[in-house]
Amino acid sequence: MMVSKVTMAEKNAKRVPVSHSDDKRAITLTLAVSLSGEILPFQLIYKGKSVRSLPDRNLLPKSFLLSHNPKHWSNTEETLKLLDKIIEPYVEETRARFGFPAEQKALLVWDDFSAHKTEEVLNAVQARTS
């Protein structure tokens, strides 16, 4: 249940408390940033077994990737969604914006998170470079 669309806190505050909210859902937020500093749309992973566990789509920017799984954790499946729905479209749009050919290489820099190194994810990344 969304209490308000607005919060107020000191600039650069580490926490922004929300009072009178019964919504205690935990989520995972995946961030992606280009080397130029452009923030890509967020991936929000909610705990749940169906789309009914997701918030009202109209409350969030349309570009956000919303998904759900029983533990609200990022995993191989969620990482593949991130590649397909956020990273790949960004790379394609950036190539077009600068007039680069479709085969222009892109560099993906990830941390050491286990889902980034699964065989499925590595194969998906490799398929995009061929």
Side-chain angles (χ1 to χ4, degrees):
M1 167 196 265
M2 186 70 153
V3 174
S4 171
K5 292 183 180 182
V6 178
T7 59
M8 294 187 73
E10 244 181 87
K11 187 174 183 176
N12 299 320
K14 301 280 186 211
R15 297 189 73 224
V16 180
V18 177
S19 60
H20 307 303
S21 174
D22 294 331
D23 190 352
K24 304 295 184 197
R25 292 181 289 184
I27 65 169
T28 295
L29 170 68
T30 305
L31 301 173
V33 180
S34 74
L35 289 177
S36 67
E38 188 173 350
I39 299 171
L40 280 61
F42 297 163
Q43 178 186 37
L44 300 167
I45 308 166
Y46 288 81
K47 183 176 183 174
K49 296 180 181 179
S50 74
V51 295
R52 292 177 52 192
S53 61
L54 299 177
D56 181 345
R57 192 68 180 110
N58 296 317
L59 297 175
L60 297 168
K62 299 292 182 214
S63 61
F64 282 16
L65 173 59
L66 303 182
S67 62
H68 59 84
N69 66 48
K71 295 187 177 184
H72 76 78
W73 294 348
S74 186
N75 54 31
T76 298
E77 181 181 345
E78 300 300 340
T79 300
L80 291 170
K81 289 177 191 176
L82 179 70
L83 278 170
D84 290 339
K85 304 291 185 184
I86 294 179
I87 294 174
E88 183 69 17
Y90 172 78
V91 170
E92 290 173 357
E93 185 271 323
T94 301
R95 285 180 182 135
R97 184 175 0 139
F98 290 106
F100 295 148
E103 57 276 355
Q104 177 70 41
K105 299 290 184 185
L107 176 65
L108 176 61
V109 179
W110 268 346
D111 60 15
D112 199 34
F113 179 56
S114 61
H116 296 164
K117 302 180 291 183
T118 65
E119 186 173 344
E120 285 179 85
V121 170
L122 294 175
N123 288 340
V125 171
Q126 183 64 37
R128 288 166 168 78
T129 64
S130 320

